[in-house]
Amino acid sequence: MGLKTRVGAAGILGLFVGLGLAEGQASEAVPLSPQAFRDYAEGHTLFFENGGEAFGAETFLPGDRSVWRYEGGRCVAGTWRVRGAQICFLYSEGEDELCWRFLRLGERLVARLLGNGPDAGFELEVTGRDRAPVLCPGPGV
């Protein structure tokens, strides 16, 4: 299964892009605490891009549940939990748990995939936030 499938299912819903410049100066990465992430995400849909291209969206529901919608339209149900400073996701597709660290880079919010695998360090940028849930065709989510 490719990176887009594995990371996309992780949602972030996963959350923001590398080292950016804010007003011409390098921005220092400031980790978002798990509680700050919960406050920001719960009850909202976050939209993610990678390299300026739409990647997917994730709706964060009460009870640490979520629904990830791939950019192509397919949806998967998931759960998330806090592990130390990490936000970890597990989806109904039975994939491995994927853990992210959310970082503020100036005005930007970025999710960086953690771990030791070949995809570690992959980043998604949160480019939007809305109260409307993702639209998922068909039954199941």
Side-chain angles (χ1 to χ4, degrees):
M1 186 174 291
L3 173 66
K4 185 168 184 176
T5 301
R6 287 185 292 130
V7 175
I12 290 189
L13 101 226
L15 279 61
F16 316 162
V17 178
L19 299 172
L21 298 177
E23 299 176 12
Q25 297 181 10
S27 298
E28 184 177 328
V30 178
L32 198 62
S33 73
Q35 185 60 50
F37 174 78
R38 179 182 304 281
D39 293 344
Y40 181 78
E42 193 170 77
H44 293 87
T45 296
L46 303 183
F47 298 86
F48 297 91
E49 289 185 3
N50 175 259
E53 298 287 325
F55 195 83
E58 189 154 17
T59 299
F60 291 86
L61 304 166
D64 298 343
R65 296 176 301 118
S66 68
V67 177
W68 171 260
R69 183 177 190 268
Y70 291 95
E71 184 54 30
R74 186 172 61 93
C75 295
V76 293
T79 59
W80 64 277
R81 67 185 180 120
V82 172
R83 182 186 296 154
Q86 304 173 27
I87 308 296
C88 299
F89 295 83
L90 189 60
Y91 292 87
S92 59
E93 293 181 335
E95 298 178 4
D96 293 336
E97 181 177 66
L98 296 173
C99 295
W100 301 78
R101 176 152 300 135
F102 286 80
L103 307 165
R104 287 232 177 256
L105 298 170
E107 296 298 314
R108 298 166 51 214
L109 182 58
V110 174
R112 182 174 296 150
L113 184 62
L114 303 173
N116 297 322
D119 298 331
F122 177 80
E123 293 181 337
L124 294 172
E125 183 172 0
V126 175
T127 57
R129 179 175 175 242
D130 196 325
R131 287 218 175 257
V134 292
L135 298 176
C136 295
V141 287

